[in-house]
Amino acid sequence: MKTFCGRANPTTGALDWVEESEEYDYHQEIARSCYADMLHDHDRNKKYYEGIWAAVARVKARGERVIVLDIGTGTGLLSMMAITAGADFCYAVEVFKPMAEAAQCIVEKNGFSDKIKIINKHSTDVTVGPDGDMQVKANVLITELFDTELIGEGALPSYEHAHQNLMQEHCEAVPHRATVYAQLVESELLWSWAQLQPVEVEGARLVPPPTVGRCAGAHAVCDIQLSQVSPATFTPLGPVCTMFTVDFSKPVSSAFQAHSSQFVAQSSGRAQVVLSWWDLDMDPSGSIVCTMAPSWTYQEPKMAPWRDHWMQSVYFLPVESQVTEGEELSLMVCHDDYSLWYSLQPRSQRGSQTEAPPSRPCCTCQAHLVWTRPRFGELNDRRRTESYVSALRSVLREDSVCLSVSDGSLLPVFAHMLGAKKVFGLENSQMSKQVIDEVLQANSMKGCVELLEIRPEQLTSNDVGGEQISVLMGEPYFSTSLLPWHSLFFWYCRTALAGLLRPNASILPRSASLHVVAVEFQDLWRIRAPCGTCEGFDVTPMDEMVQRSLDFRESREAEPHPLWEYPCRALTQSTAAMTFDFTQCLPQQPISSQGSLSFIREGRCHGVALWMEYHLTDDITVSAGLNRPINEQGDCEWSRHRKQGVYFFGSPWEISGDGRAAVSYSFTFEPSLGDIRMDFSVTSQ
């Protein structure tokens, strides 16, 4: 049996469906899973263990046999904790077959197979009775069904079903309860991820379409490492509010609910964004707490545990509104069975008991479907916009005929505002074409830019009115790009369009370069590190399964990560390892580059970071990686707009920093594939 997987094709800018073996899909899921991250989360594991010991003790104190149901058992870790704590038997449910098989191996390896039964089903399909999956109903419910939004993985329906069908009355639950917190803030940074901001070009003001400003935006939660968002970038307008709690030891409902929290505004400002997180009380008394609060809520931020499987959430209010210090406000959160959304009630209706709760927001303007949140931030980056405007100004003439090749780009609008004679823009979809059309219409430029939904290789002279293109421009940005170098699709476009270009046509950017630096990650290394022993239990079968899946394809490839969320320290200088000359057509033969970087700082090298820089002109460069040079300590400041590439070494290297060790690299760009093969090794001199 074969499976079809979507994969970005950098040579066409399209998403291709590729036939793979039946194992590919689950190898991908295992290789990219958060299991290792969870096993390395000592705070989580310790709190669960303490909560399980307490729950088992409470049931034993009632004189009952302890029967545990563990939903979403994963490695079986929590089930083994329960048996160790004195439970009589445990039913461990895991729907993902490879994971259930790994759990079975781990349970056997640790000597618990006589007291733990692995059930490879969805919990809602589990049966109870003499011939069922469970002989009797359980009296202790252990789950780890949570995501960054708490309920996004279907926790509520699973709990609802379990209480109705699989649990005894008056059961114990670990965790016992969850509490969701929220804080209303003003933040120019975060709001720039949700709404297009006005921009100044040559003294003229480009404004966003009214439809975008009125739109509630994309519904999907924005989950990020909120600890990496500096408190200096937002202004709290109110205190951290307790929004609602869920008691998991009692019947749970997955039906729609709304909750409000009233507070007095502690400062004046624009109510734009809600920051949200949750915590788990592992016992009824609330003495064992596992919190997702960002590090800046701690007195000692370095004491905050790091985890990537649970982060924090950012919610954008449907509209921004002005609030005044001392004003009484009411923040409302609604949730269905899988998601949350927030609203701030209008002044005239605050305190009203008859107002219907707001429905779940959805995008009505198309822009939030065309532009991701990082893309909104990129389009709103004034310094970046100034770089492109300056570069365009240096190449444009009164008779310039411009063609833009980037998805949902404002470059053709800028070119018109700078006085180009004629401007064309290639868009990859009707939706992105419509969004840019609305930008033009909102600024009385309708018809000033001709947008074409045509693939570059299909564009003819007739499509551009018989004109020859004097300026070919791109950011470049393509919505299908996953890794930094996938934007080299611009080179393929430039080559396909060569016959339509004037002999002396300007290409913007003129070139691009691939940059590399060896790094020590503060925490991100955990997602790829084997665990070995976790809280005293041998979980090596899990490590082996992950490694097999990585070896299936992924281990010799880079993977995309937004490195601004994951602090790292450079152990070498950064260097431009490859350069791609867009003024020339794409070569037919592979391009190769080899070199080495000497380690100049001591530390533990986990891998390398990779990114692209675009050289718009000889003296204007835009980086999709480092925002500024690496400082003396090796600290890196990364762009928030694009993901960088990370190539993890199979195991970390301990570096002395005396200059006698180096990381050697080898890159090969394959024009026929549009991808870059890479290899690294650490050598001592």
Side-chain angles (χ1 to χ4, degrees), residues 470-473 490 494 501 505-510 582-583 616:
S470 56
V471 178
L472 177 65
M473 56 192 179
F490 179 76
R494 179 259 181 271
L501 302 181
S506 297
I507 312 294
L508 189 154
R510 294 178 55 81
F582 297 155
T583 65
L616 307 185

Side-chain angles (χ1 to χ4, degrees), residues 239 241 260-264 328-331 345 351:
C241 299
S260 291
S261 181
Q262 283 72 42
F263 61 94
V264 174
E328 293 185 2
L329 303 174
S330 179
L331 183 65
Q345 292 171 290

Side-chain angles (χ1 to χ4, degrees), residues 354-554:
T354 59
E355 184 194 5
S359 57
R360 186 166 67 173
C362 64
C363 176
T364 56
C365 72
Q366 314 291 346
H368 299 92
L369 305 179
V370 169
W371 296 324
T372 63
R373 286 167 179 136
R375 178 64 170 157
F376 265 100
E378 188 168 62
L379 294 172
N380 286 323
D381 185 331
R382 293 186 187 93
R383 183 180 298 176
R384 180 178 182 275
T385 295
E386 287 168 6
S387 293
Y388 282 97
V389 169
S390 296
L392 278 171
R393 191 187 297 115
S394 72
V395 299
L396 288 179
R397 305 291 179 264
E398 288 184 3
D399 63 345
S400 290
V401 178
C402 303
L403 176 62
S404 171
V405 184
S406 277
D407 295 347
S409 177
L410 297 178
L411 282 188
V413 184
F414 298 157
H416 168 72
M417 296 175 76
L418 289 167
K421 171 189 165 187
K422 187 73 178 172
V423 183
F424 299 91
L426 295 190
E427 286 294 346
N428 72 333
S429 71
Q430 178 62 36
M431 196 180 295
S432 60
K433 179 173 176 288
Q434 178 184 325
V435 169
I436 302 302
D437 257 332
E438 289 187 1
V439 172
L440 292 165
Q441 190 166 343
N443 291 274
S444 303
M445 299 181 198
K446 185 75 172 170
C448 296
V449 174
E450 190 169 343
L451 299 173
L452 306 168
E453 192 186 344
I454 302 174
R455 293 195 55 78
E457 68 272 14
Q458 296 170 340
L459 193 71
T460 67
S461 180
N462 288 339
D463 295 319
V464 292
E467 299 273 10
Q468 280 193 303
I469 305 301
S470 56
V471 178
L472 177 65
M473 56 192 179
E475 301 183 38
Y477 172 85
F478 303 103
S479 58
T480 55
S481 296
L482 297 177
L483 289 160
W485 43 93
H486 288 172
S487 60
L488 290 175
F489 176 54
F490 179 76
W491 207 1
Y492 292 82
C493 297
R494 179 259 181 271
T495 303
L497 295 165
L500 299 178
L501 302 181
R502 292 181 188 174
N504 61 343
S506 297
I507 312 294
L508 189 154
R510 294 178 55 81
S511 63
S513 48
L514 174 66
H515 292 246
V516 59
V517 63
V519 297
E520 174 185 56
F521 284 108
Q522 184 174 301
D523 295 296
L524 188 63
W525 60 270
R526 300 173 197 271
I527 70 169
R528 293 288 168 266
C531 191
T533 300
C534 182
E535 307 304 318
F537 301 100
D538 185 344
V539 294
T540 51
M542 176 68 199
D543 295 335
E544 292 162 1
M545 182 179 72
V546 171
Q547 191 56 52
R548 282 194 302 272
S549 291
L550 285 168
D551 290 342
F552 188 77
R553 172 164 299 166
E554 303 295 333

Side-chain angles (χ1 to χ4, degrees), residues 81-93:
M81 288 178 175
I83 298 300
T84 304
D88 295 284
F89 198 81
C90 183
Y91 296 101
V93 180

Side-chain angles (χ1 to χ4, degrees), residues 73 90 129 180 234 249 351 468 585 663:
T73 193
C90 183
V180 173
F234 62 86
S249 69
Q468 280 193 303
C585 285
V663 57

Side-chain angles (χ1 to χ4, degrees), residues 146 150 159 173-179 245-249 278-290:
F146 313 113
L150 183 68
Y159 271 110
V174 182
H176 179 79
R177 104 186 116 246
T179 304
T245 63
V246 183
D247 186 336
F248 297 125
S249 69
W278 46 267
D279 62 26
L280 299 173
D281 288 329
M282 295 298 183
D283 66 326
S285 69
S287 60
I288 308 168
V289 182
C290 185

